[in-house]
Amino acid sequence: MIADALHLLNRLGRRTVMAVDALGYAAGLLGEAVGFVVSGRRRGQPVRLQAVVEQMRQVGVDAIPIVLLLSFTVGLMLAIQFIATLREFGAQSQVVLAVAKSVTREFGVLITGILVAGRSGSAFAARIGSMSVSQEVDALGVMGIDPVRYLVAPALLAMLVMLPVLTVLADAAAILGAAMYSAPMLDMSVQTYLTQTLSQLTPRDVYEGLAKSIVFALLITVIGVATGFSVTGGAEGVGRATTRAVVLSITALIVADMVFSFFLNR
Amino acid sequence: MNETNAPLIEVVGLEAFYGRRRILHGVDFSVNRGEIRVIMGGSGSGKSTLLRHIIGLQRPVSGTVRILGVDVGRAGAQELLAVRRKLGVSFQGGALITSMSVGDNVALPLREHTQLDETTIRIMSRLKLEFVNLGGFHDLMPSQLSGGMIKRAALARAIVMDPELLFFDEPSAGLDPVVSAELDELILRLRDALRMTIVVVTHELESAFRIADRITVLDQGDILTTGTVAEVRASENERIQDLLHRRPRSVEVDVDDYLRRLTEEDA
Ligand SMILES: Nc1ncnc2c1ncn2[C@@H]1O[C@H](COP(=O)(O)OP(=O)(O)O)[C@@H](O)[C@H]1O
Ligand SMILES: [Mg+2]
């Protein structure tokens, strides 16, 4: 009995130590990457613009179609639900406000974050993981090319720029999706719906989403690359790490989102 | 300070562990300027581990490693990067960057560390590819190369900055005898033509005898001897003779150790 309990406690202790270790490691990586962005050039380890642009294309531009499509769909879905619910109170016209606020503050950035975590968080983990396994990361190191500067910093910069951009696009697509359904239901033109949306939105609504998108960008990048660098155990290890990166980063996004919403809407 | 006579590599009392397993047992090792040193030993004897410590990929638990006068275990990140620009490493599996063509792989150190213009970089990297007999292959991707070609491309990348010190892990492992002999020729030419100091890790006797100025024999984490080819061949050490004549090693079992391994809960 006692032995079992001790064993369990022991395991729990080890797990906790491992989790704290991993957090420390991820924070260290983030710090290093930011360091290279700030002072890499002075130290002879510049973050290359070309690499950043290439990453921006991969994490940002290439994701635009799917982000637009999903956001549009979610916007439409929200409109259907809101109208059905609000109709019961005879407050159908409030759908404009409800959609505008919930999309800009919450759904636009969350959909974008989850999509990018699935696309790019996994790509970071897979790329760095397979490079670790094949000693490419070691090779970069001994060539005097810091792997964090070369692999992590461009990804981080690209994510910090592109996630807010994608979020704004997602907001627009979702509101348009909602307009497509709501406008006919409210006997107004799509154009009127959009004008009303703009007049009811405050800058703060949009900022809330954008602030979240910055935090999401940090989380997705750090979790992806940290998981990648920690890969052991060959190709199978890379596969496991990829899955782990996606699950971990989506979990982190949702928890962070909840915390954010709680504090910003008190 | 006497630059020319100081050893380029000086390892003293190096201990290495993976988890609790002791891999290197107080290794002392030094290499002089201009020699080709072969680290020879059976598979799993700790050759790659020693190499990883020398090039600073792993920090010693105890003992010191100095290369080109810098204490690798205590050097700061900046100092380590500066030293690494003066050495070239060809890894066991090549470690070419898979997403880049062979030419870009070889050009990578030049692009990162020099201000040379693109034309010069292209010419210099193609010269090195020619040197390793891979002229005309710069557009291929690493996945399109054979084992021998990967080793040669990795060698070209390792020497593109004209390093003072070159490390080569298992140049002939998994290659047919002809290709492996070609690589040995290349290594000899690098010392003679470019005056490099070269450390080669290998478990292939033939290749070791062909290229070595001196051989260090490593066995299960201990250095058995260091000497010229003739000295190693003439060694009286039983383990060395086992290695030279490909005899299976006679395993002696320590009863206490054996029982502990069987009963221990977690390693
Ligand atoms: N990353 C690692 N984790 C745990 N053990 C390792 C690791 N790398 C090597 N080893 C062990 O260390 C010993 C020496 O390995 P290595 O230096 O690669 O030998 P060699 O290059 O001489 O074949 C082997 O027994 C190997 O199993
Ligand atoms: Mg090895």
Side-chain angles (χ1 to χ4, degrees):
Chain A
M1 244 319 265
I2 291 176
D4 273 359
L6 278 180
H7 189 66
L8 207 70
L9 215 61
N10 187 359
R11 282 240 316 249
L12 195 71
R14 276 194 199 189
R15 282 279 167 105
T16 315
V17 170
M18 272 164 59
V20 172
D21 266 1
L23 263 180
Y25 176 65
L29 268 182
L30 182 62
E32 269 183 64
V34 172
F36 282 117
V37 172
V38 175
S39 68
R41 189 160 297 279
R42 192 155 37 80
R43 289 184 279 153
Q45 292 282 329
V47 179
R48 305 264 176 221
L49 187 64
Q50 199 192 344
V52 179
V53 171
E54 172 59 21
Q55 285 289 315
M56 279 168 64
R57 189 181 64 70
Q58 285 178 17
V59 305
V61 179
D62 290 356
I64 289 175
I66 184 76
V67 165
L68 289 182
L69 182 69
L70 278 202
S71 315
F72 183 90
T73 315
V74 169
L76 208 133
M77 196 174 73
L78 278 176
I80 297 172
Q81 296 289 2
F82 278 138
I83 286 190
T85 314
L86 291 169
R87 187 185 288 142
E88 290 178 26
F89 308 101
Q92 283 182 55
S93 57
Q94 292 303 312
V95 70
V96 181
L97 183 67
V99 165
K101 299 255 172 197
S102 60
V103 163
T104 49
R105 292 178 170 203
E106 201 66 62
F107 289 108
V109 65
L110 195 58
I111 297 161
T112 310
I114 290 176
L115 259 174
V116 172
R119 282 184 87 252
S120 303
S122 61
F124 296 152
R127 171 151 177 259
I128 293 179
S130 64
M131 288 183 75
S132 298
V133 167
S134 61
Q135 292 195 305
E136 288 168 55
V137 171
D138 289 343
L140 284 175
V142 297
M143 280 190 275
I145 301 170
D146 193 294
V148 174
R149 185 264 293 186
Y150 193 77
L151 298 171
V152 179
L156 183 66
L157 271 184
M159 287 284 284
L160 285 174
V161 175
M162 290 317 281
L163 213 60
V165 172
L166 287 175
T167 300
V168 170
L169 291 177
D171 288 350
I175 289 171
L176 186 70
M180 288 307 194
Y181 178 80
S182 313
M185 302 291 284
L186 301 172
D187 286 323
M188 59 167 83
S189 71
V190 169
Q191 181 139 35
T192 321
Y193 181 99
L194 295 180
T195 325
Q196 276 196 22
T197 301
L198 281 182
S199 69
Q200 297 192 6
L201 271 180
T202 61
R204 190 187 171 282
D205 298 323
V206 181
Y207 291 154
E208 186 174 332
L210 290 184
K212 284 181 186 172
S213 76
I214 300 273
V215 174
F216 288 4
L218 290 175
L219 286 173
I220 296 170
T221 315
V222 163
I223 292 175
V225 299
T227 323
F229 279 122
S230 328
V231 164
T232 51
E236 200 184 326
V238 177
R240 268 199 309 269
T242 313
T243 315
R244 233 168 81 87
V246 175
V247 174
L248 268 179
S249 49
I250 291 180
T251 312
L253 291 199
I254 291 177
V255 172
D257 193 9
M258 189 270 292
V259 173
F260 243 95
S261 301
F262 179 77
F263 283 107
L264 287 178
N265 292 294
R266 273 209 304 195
Chain B
M1 196 160 98
N2 194 338
E3 281 279 331
T4 40
N5 290 334
L8 284 197
I9 304 175
E10 202 169 16
V11 176
V12 181
L14 176 64
E15 303 264 325
F17 291 80
Y18 284 118
R20 272 172 43 187
R21 263 184 69 211
R22 188 142 158 257
I23 307 295
L24 296 177
H25 310 222
V27 164
D28 297 320
F29 177 78
S30 78
V31 175
N32 295 326
R33 191 176 290 274
E35 70 169 316
I36 296 183
R37 171 66 62 86
V38 171
I39 303 175
M40 200 177 76
S43 201
S45 54
K47 306 183 297 290
S48 298
T49 306
L50 175 57
L51 190 65
R52 291 176 64 82
H53 279 85
I54 295 175
I55 58 183
L57 283 175
Q58 277 162 250
R59 305 234 163 180
V61 174
S62 73
T64 56
V65 175
R66 302 178 72 86
I67 51 174
L68 304 168
V70 173
D71 186 336
V72 175
R74 282 183 198 87
Q78 277 314 105
E79 217 177 343
L80 202 55
L81 284 174
V83 171
R84 282 171 167 177
R85 286 179 199 186
K86 292 187 229 160
L87 47 93
V89 183
S90 172
F91 284 87
Q92 196 162 345
L96 298 173
I97 310 291
T98 7
S99 55
M100 285 184 188
S101 72
V102 171
D104 286 340
N105 261 289
V106 177
L108 183 60
L110 294 173
R111 293 214 169 101
E112 290 295 331
H113 297 316
T114 69
Q115 310 293 326
L116 300 172
D117 61 279
E118 205 36 47
T119 322
T120 318
I121 288 181
R122 195 169 56 233
I123 292 172
M124 285 179 68
S125 49
R126 289 194 186 169
L127 271 174
K128 296 297 194 226
L129 279 172
E130 292 286 347
F131 183 85
V132 300
N133 304 325
L134 280 181
F137 288 100
H138 48 264
D139 279 337
L140 263 60
M141 297 304 281
S143 59
Q144 297 169 306
L145 302 183
S146 71
M149 289 161 86
I150 287 177
K151 299 250 169 169
R152 282 183 282 157
L155 181 58
R157 186 178 66 179
I159 60 174
V160 75
M161 296 278 286
D162 293 320
E164 289 176 47
L165 241 176
L166 175 69
F167 297 89
F168 208 149
D169 197 354
E170 303 278 6
S172 41
L175 301 181
D176 64 72
V178 176
V179 178
S180 128
E182 281 170 11
L183 274 166
D184 291 343
E185 278 309 308
L186 276 177
I187 292 169
L188 289 170
R189 265 170 60 200
L190 280 174
R191 182 199 51 189
D192 298 339
L194 304 175
R195 310 228 157 279
M196 281 179 198
T197 307
I198 305 175
V199 177
V200 178
V201 163
T202 187
H203 66 265
E204 304 267 327
L205 295 172
E206 235 181 289
S207 155
F209 290 152
R210 209 158 29 210
I211 58 179
D213 291 318
R214 286 197 293 166
I215 298 179
T216 293
V217 183
L218 193 63
D219 180 52
Q220 305 193 338
D222 290 307
I223 288 194
L224 297 183
T225 187
T226 295
T228 60
V229 173
E231 283 163 4
V232 169
R233 276 193 206 267
S235 166
E236 312 244 301
N237 185 306
E238 197 183 334
R239 288 290 301 126
I240 295 179
Q241 288 306 320
D242 283 352
L243 266 173
L244 296 190
H245 298 101
R246 299 162 193 268
R247 282 198 293 263
R249 56 173 169 246
S250 40
V251 184
E252 283 171 34
V253 178
D254 177 326
V255 178
D256 288 340
D257 248 10
Y258 179 70
L259 282 179
R260 187 182 48 76
R261 282 204 301 270
L262 288 184
T263 53
E264 201 174 39
E265 253 195 49
D266 39 24

